[in-house]
Structure formats: structure tokens, C-alpha cells
Amino acid sequence: GNRGGALSPRGAGYLFGGDIVEQFHHLNGLDTMARAHQLVMEGYKYMFNKALVTVWSAPNYCYRCGNVAAILKLDGSMEHNFTSFEAAPASGRDVAVRRPIPDYFL
């Protein structure tokens, strides 16, 4: 739900709701919290009435998710500006090509 906190189903970290975000903001004098490391298909996503924003900067994550990526820029008055981008075409990437393993290593 959108309240309280709980251990992540993956066992790596915690999930928290809007009430926890609101309490954190109140205790720390904040309006918005930015975080990363959770895939969002749009590149960025606001939650809890813009009190939290997730920013994901890896387009087409693992070459298979088809997601957009984003960069968050803050101006002098802390206004949020996002630049979104898609993955470079495969032909334009400088990616190491996997070669078959020679028989003598098998």
C-alpha cells in the first residue's frame, strides 16, 4: 500500500509509503526527495503528490526492457527539469562483440 514501511520482496532494502515520505520531509525540511535504482519505463516517475521522484538513467536496461532514461536537472530555484532519452541504435554502440569460445577451451 501507500502507508508504512516493509522489507522489500527482493530482500534488498525497504519499501515505504507516502506517510513515511511525508514524515521524512517534515523532520528534514524537504519538499521533494529524488532517488534512483528502480526501473521506471518513462525514465522518471513522481509519487505521493510529487514528494518523491524516481529517476532511471539506463535506457533500454539490459538491452531488453525498452525503457526510456532521464536526467534530473535542478535550477537555482530548485525547479525540476528532466531530459529524457532513448538507447542509442545498436549500430551506433561501441559494444564488445562476443566471439564463440574456441573448442580447445571446452
Side-chain angles (χ1 to χ4, degrees):
N2 284 339
R3 300 196 57 77
L7 188 62
S8 166
R10 295 185 311 153
Y14 292 89
L15 303 175
F16 47 88
D19 58 332
I20 302 294
V21 173
E22 183 180 332
Q23 183 179 27
F24 184 87
H25 286 340
H26 177 75
L27 291 172
N28 293 284
L30 300 174
D31 295 317
T32 304
M33 181 185 333
R35 69 186 198 108
H37 295 288
Q38 180 179 342
L39 175 64
V40 288
M41 295 305 289
E42 310 90 337
Y44 68 94
K45 182 177 181 179
Y46 283 106
M47 295 182 69
F48 314 127
N49 296 318
K50 293 192 173 185
L52 176 76
V53 63
T54 299
V55 182
W56 184 258
S57 61
N60 194 25
Y61 184 58
C62 292
Y63 301 106
R64 65 177 179 202
C65 289
N67 62 288
V68 175
I71 297 171
L72 168 61
K73 298 179 205 173
L74 302 173
D75 66 18
S77 61
M78 300 301 283
E79 289 295 318
H80 302 178
N81 296 292
F82 293 93
T83 300
S84 298
F85 55 98
E86 296 181 4
S91 62
R93 289 189 219 128
D94 189 16
V95 177
V97 177
R98 286 192 173 169
R99 293 181 176 29
I101 300 172
D103 289 340
Y104 53 83
F105 284 121
L106 300 176

